[in-house]
Amino acid sequence: CNGADISPPLKFEDIPDGTSTLALIVDDPDAPAGTFVHWVVWNINPTTMEIPENSVPAEAAEGTTDFNKTGWGGPCPPDKEHRYYFKLYALDTELKLPETTTKKDLETAMEKHILAKAELMGRYDQPR
């Protein structure tokens, strides 16, 4: 709401052996109407050790967020400080999913393919 609305830089390490792809979900459980999805990305190459700010890994796919668009949608909490969870999944397969894939669709597709999960939580409060 008060910046360039670009995705933050992220770094990964200790990707488990046998990982075929990575998936990333960013959501806000503190949104007034329930959890709000800010980013859905899958088929990230497991050799990826970082995602620079304002970028998407080559060959990765992005799904539909709660902004009703693909790609990153930044924080804009209307009421208080919110928590933003960056959840990275190591998967044993590549996923064949359309751009219309939502967080729920991705979670269903990943269900029996998760080798490991890592989570980072950030906080943001809209300056008043």
Side-chain angles (χ1 to χ4, degrees):
C1 282
N2 61 344
D5 193 21
I6 60 174
S7 59
L10 299 169
K11 291 191 178 191
F12 314 140
E13 59 185 35
D14 299 326
I15 304 299
D17 291 339
T19 299
S20 292
T21 63
L22 302 170
L24 177 67
I25 295 172
V26 180
D27 60 21
D28 168 11
D30 301 319
T35 300
F36 193 89
V37 180
H38 289 264
W39 207 12
V40 181
V41 187
W42 65 93
N43 289 344
I44 301 168
N45 188 309
T47 62
T48 301
M49 294 292 115
E50 67 179 299
I51 302 174
E53 71 178 8
N54 198 31
S55 68
V56 180
E59 301 176 20
E62 292 180 288
T64 303
T65 67
D66 285 340
F67 291 102
N68 292 315
K69 65 176 186 121
T70 59
W72 168 260
C76 190
D79 54 356
K80 60 181 178 175
E81 180 180 89
H82 285 224
R83 296 166 296 155
Y84 295 86
Y85 287 89
F86 293 74
K87 296 175 266 192
L88 183 70
Y89 300 86
L91 307 177
D92 66 2
T93 190
E94 183 176 330
L95 301 173
K96 307 280 191 237
L97 301 169
E99 236 181 46
T100 55
T101 297
T102 64
K103 171 189 168 180
K104 184 176 173 147
D105 298 331
L106 179 57
E107 288 173 335
T108 298
M110 293 189 306
E111 200 169 278
K112 295 180 181 175
H113 299 286
I114 299 171
L115 301 173
K117 176 184 174 186
E119 191 171 276
L120 170 72
M121 190 266 295
R123 297 177 188 274
Y124 178 79
D125 191 8
Q126 178 72 317
R128 309 280 177 231

